[in-house]
Amino acid sequence: MRFVLVAGTTHTATIEGISAAGADPELMLHTPAADAEIVEYGQPVYAPTTPVSPTGCPTPAVITRAVHELVAPDALVVDAGLARRTAAPTVTVGERPGADVRDPEPVPGATDVFEAARELGRGLPDEELVVGESIPGGTTTAFGVLTALGEPHGVSSSLPENPLTLKREVVATALDESGLDAGDAAGEPIRAIQSMGDPVLAAVSGLTIGAIETGGEVTLAGGTQMIAAGALVRHFDVHAPLGLATTSFVADDETADVQTAARALDLDLTVTDPGFDRSDHVAMERYRRGEAKEGVGMGGALMLAARDGIPMDEVRTRIERCYDPLVEDDGP
Amino acid sequence: MRFVLVAGTTHTATIEGISAAGADPELMLHTPAADAEIVEYGQPVYAPTTPVSPTGCPTPAVITRAVHELVAPDALVVDAGLARRTAAPTVTVGERPGADVRDPEPVPGATDVFEAARELGRGLPDEELVVGESIPGGTTTAFGVLTALGEPHGVSSSLPENPLTLKREVVATALDESGLDAGDAAGEPIRAIQSMGDPVLAAVSGLTIGAIETGGEVTLAGGTQMIAAGALVRHFDVHAPLGLATTSFVADDETADVQTAARALDLDLTVTDPGFDRSDHVAMERYRRGEAKEGVGMGGALMLAARDGIPMDEVRTRIERCYDPLVEDDGP
């Protein structure tokens, strides 16, 4: 088994109020690079700070790191278009950040990213991949892709109050600019990514299909962005078994209805509850209030911990130990 | 502790008869990328084949991989100028392969590579680094650097008969082309690398100095290339404790005299004997005949195994298990 984190950026994240994956739009461009460093080293290296939401909720990278310390999976970071450098070792499948989804063609290199990731997926020797993502603004591009594909599923949010009206407006403008109506890209997944998506969705779907083509099993680790990735895989006409591992925070989000979407797309859903209601620690209490919810493969990491028989109280203790030095050392 | 493999290339390797780190000069350009894949995945992914010497001696990457399976250190591959792509995740500190050492300036970007690696070394959170290398032709550039620095130490070879006459000729031509006499770059390590070295030496010395500057301990894992790296560190006027971990095959090589060189440079020498004389396995018997000897951090990996109390017969058994599928699966 190998845990793969696909990290990239979309300028969609800089739309005011669209994402909580960083304290401000400038810092948000650092978030995926910082997330990769936290998973790899337990702390930022080149990134100026540990990503937090505007209200101070720490990145789910801290939770994934904590599980990695306990489970020690083989791990791989895939760079699908980072906007800032990272000290985490990466395999690059895309060089360019995605443009704002409202651009006519936010991911012009979708085919290249998809094919590079597919080749990597074919080459990896692992029988099982668990694939997470880090891309601020990614639920909006996921919503764009689902809409272009004609898939009726909603998306979740890293904000406690999902800015659905804003997302719908952004996606409506994006469709317009791309000359598409909802459903126009059904059966044309590359077109959906190119016109309405982000480079991480290109990489995740390519990696998944490459691994499946060589007999591998894949679990998409995430929330509604991974619903979009799963929908893309199905629209590539790949109908092999495919897992989706997410957190109870996403599963409980009524704006998303991940259960219905997973059923419709034939994704084998695993929901893991890390029991944060049994902790008052600052790294966990904001999740209880509906912030962050998912990201950086958090749901997949929690699934791996559960599968290895690691009690969730041990996971929570480890999260505290991972989080505390990050706050002390915070700042550039 | 983190095991760092610095991988790169120099066109010096394509000089007929200079290196055994690949079956032919074209395949030699793939060797560092393949070595990184073998350490990371246990097999080549994008590389066309497992690197072997012209007589069939497998790359020391197999031994390092075997130890990694037993010890499971945190690991990092640093790309200092690979000539071929690799599926191993990397942090890039140099984009360009080194030119032939006989060029007037084989490493024009020496300062940039050194500084990028130094910054990485400063950023890594580990208290201890064990730094290995993979660069075919590297003992010749090491000899060039030692000569330019005025250090009187000889170098070893991946060939059973060290082609010393050829190396001396190449280095003499290289000095000439660079307008240098032996010793002219004493106290000017960047000039020595730029005129007579390779990008891996720039990266290894930068990484080492960066780690030392932030209180880290470093062990250079290798043979006479790491003697050259150690000499560079000393000529940078850095006199902190520094380790050198190598194999008994290098230590027994009279053309190198690594003990004397280590003493002269104040490097704390660890020699580990993997006991290959107790095995008839093809992956090990050629080492007994003096092929390969070192590389891909093999001496450092063996040191880590010994430190962890892993018996060498267990290491040898694991080497067999790592090697056998590589031969079955060989070929593109």
Side-chain angles (χ1 to χ4, degrees):
Chain A
M1 192 276 303
R2 188 172 303 265
F3 184 96
V4 185
L5 173 64
V6 182
T9 44
T10 164
H11 279 280
T12 310
T14 60
I15 299 170
E16 184 72 32
I18 212 106
S19 174
D24 64 48
E26 166 52 27
L27 281 173
M28 238 176 289
L29 291 174
H30 285 284
T31 294
D35 282 348
E37 291 177 346
I38 289 167
V39 172
E40 183 72 23
Y41 301 110
Q43 63 183 64
V45 175
Y46 290 156
T49 184
T50 297
V52 294
S53 75
T55 58
C57 179
T59 170
V62 177
I63 288 120
T64 297
R65 167 69 190 189
V67 173
H68 279 218
E69 290 186 7
L70 296 168
V71 177
D74 287 328
L76 169 64
V77 180
V78 173
D79 177 355
L82 289 169
R84 296 290 180 266
R85 68 182 181 152
T86 183
T90 59
V91 175
T92 300
V93 298
E95 306 273 2
R96 289 177 58 182
D100 189 312
V101 69
R102 294 168 302 183
D103 277 23
E105 202 180 36
V107 193
T111 301
D112 292 346
V113 175
F114 174 83
E115 290 298 344
R118 181 186 190 174
E119 193 183 2
L120 182 64
R122 293 182 66 93
L124 292 177
D126 312 282
E127 284 170 21
E128 184 188 2
L129 299 183
V130 175
V131 184
E133 54 65 37
S134 171
I135 177 166
T139 59
T140 301
T141 41
F143 190 33
V145 161
L146 287 167
T147 307
L149 293 174
E151 294 287 346
H153 318 297
V155 292
S156 190
S157 171
S158 52
L159 290 154
E161 292 294 319
N162 196 343
L164 276 174
T165 310
L166 175 59
K167 283 183 185 174
R168 282 194 196 106
E169 279 171 22
V170 167
V171 167
T173 309
L175 279 172
D176 245 24
E177 290 293 329
S178 302
L180 290 174
D181 284 325
D184 271 1
E188 296 179 82
I190 289 286
R191 190 174 172 210
I193 299 166
Q194 208 163 313
S195 321
M196 297 291 291
D198 63 57
V200 165
L201 287 172
V204 170
S205 53
L207 200 63
T208 300
I209 289 172
I212 287 173
E213 284 169 343
T214 46
E217 279 181 35
V218 180
T219 299
L220 301 169
T224 43
Q225 287 164 252
M226 288 305 179
I227 290 283
L232 286 165
V233 170
R234 297 315 185 203
H235 281 256
F236 273 109
D237 218 17
V238 172
H239 301 284
L242 185 55
L244 179 75
T246 195
T247 64
S248 48
F249 308 108
V250 168
D252 293 346
D253 180 358
E254 288 166 11
T255 64
D257 195 4
V258 77
Q259 287 86 350
T260 302
R263 213 161 29 237
L265 295 164
D266 195 19
L267 307 177
D268 183 16
L269 181 65
T270 305
V271 175
T272 310
D273 180 353
F276 286 179
D277 51 343
R278 264 158 278 165
S279 168
D280 287 325
H281 190 274
V282 60
M284 289 170 262
E285 57 111 5
R286 288 192 177 274
Y287 282 80
R288 297 204 314 260
R289 297 197 224 159
E291 289 193 50
K293 296 189 189 72
E294 240 303 356
V296 200
M298 175 179 170
L302 293 172
M303 175 191 77
L304 294 178
R307 194 205 276 180
D308 267 26
I310 295 166
M312 284 301 150
D313 61 345
E314 204 176 312
V315 172
R316 293 192 299 272
T317 304
R318 182 65 70 144
I319 291 169
E320 294 183 19
R321 276 170 51 188
C322 286
Y323 175 78
D324 292 341
L326 288 176
V327 180
E328 286 160 26
D329 294 351
D330 218 12
Chain B
M1 195 274 304
R2 188 172 304 265
F3 184 97
V4 185
L5 173 63
V6 182
T9 43
T10 164
H11 279 282
T12 310
T14 60
I15 300 172
E16 185 73 32
I18 211 107
S19 173
D24 64 48
E26 166 53 27
L27 281 174
M28 236 173 293
L29 290 175
H30 285 284
T31 294
D35 282 347
E37 291 177 346
I38 289 168
V39 171
E40 183 73 24
Y41 301 110
Q43 63 183 63
V45 175
Y46 291 155
T49 183
T50 297
V52 295
S53 74
T55 59
C57 180
T59 170
V62 177
I63 288 119
T64 297
R65 168 68 189 188
V67 173
H68 279 218
E69 290 187 7
L70 296 168
V71 177
D74 287 329
L76 169 64
V77 180
V78 172
D79 177 356
L82 289 169
R84 298 287 180 267
R85 68 181 181 152
T86 184
T90 60
V91 175
T92 300
V93 298
E95 306 272 1
R96 289 177 58 183
D100 189 313
V101 68
R102 294 168 303 184
D103 277 23
E105 201 179 39
V107 193
T111 301
D112 292 346
V113 175
F114 173 83
E115 289 299 344
R118 181 185 189 175
E119 193 181 4
L120 182 63
R122 294 181 66 93
L124 293 177
D126 312 283
E127 283 170 22
E128 184 189 1
L129 300 183
V130 175
V131 184
E133 54 66 36
S134 171
I135 177 165
T139 58
T140 302
T141 40
F143 191 32
V145 161
L146 288 167
T147 306
L149 294 175
E151 294 287 346
H153 317 297
V155 291
S156 188
S157 170
S158 54
L159 290 153
E161 293 293 320
N162 195 343
L164 277 175
T165 310
L166 175 60
K167 283 182 186 173
R168 283 194 196 106
E169 280 171 22
V170 167
V171 167
T173 308
L175 280 172
D176 244 26
E177 290 292 329
S178 302
L180 290 175
D181 284 324
D184 271 2
E188 295 179 82
I190 289 287
R191 190 173 171 209
I193 299 166
Q194 208 162 314
S195 321
M196 297 290 291
D198 63 57
V200 166
L201 286 173
V204 171
S205 53
L207 200 62
T208 300
I209 289 172
I212 287 173
E213 285 170 340
T214 47
E217 278 181 34
V218 181
T219 299
L220 301 169
T224 44
Q225 287 165 251
M226 288 305 179
I227 290 285
L232 286 164
V233 170
R234 297 315 185 202
H235 282 256
F236 273 108
D237 218 16
V238 172
H239 300 285
L242 185 56
L244 178 75
T246 195
T247 64
S248 48
F249 307 109
V250 167
D252 293 345
D253 180 357
E254 288 165 10
T255 64
D257 194 3
V258 77
Q259 288 84 353
T260 302
R263 213 161 27 237
L265 294 163
D266 194 19
L267 306 177
D268 182 16
L269 180 65
T270 305
V271 175
T272 311
D273 179 352
F276 286 178
D277 52 342
R278 264 157 278 168
S279 168
D280 287 326
H281 191 273
V282 59
M284 289 170 263
E285 57 112 4
R286 289 192 176 274
Y287 283 80
R288 297 204 315 261
R289 298 198 223 159
E291 289 194 50
K293 296 188 190 72
E294 240 303 354
V296 199
M298 175 179 169
L302 293 172
M303 175 191 77
L304 294 178
R307 193 204 278 180
D308 266 25
I310 295 167
M312 284 300 150
D313 61 344
E314 204 176 310
V315 172
R316 293 192 299 272
T317 303
R318 182 63 69 142
I319 291 169
E320 294 184 19
R321 276 170 52 188
C322 285
Y323 175 77
D324 292 342
L326 288 176
V327 179
E328 286 161 27
D329 293 350
D330 219 12

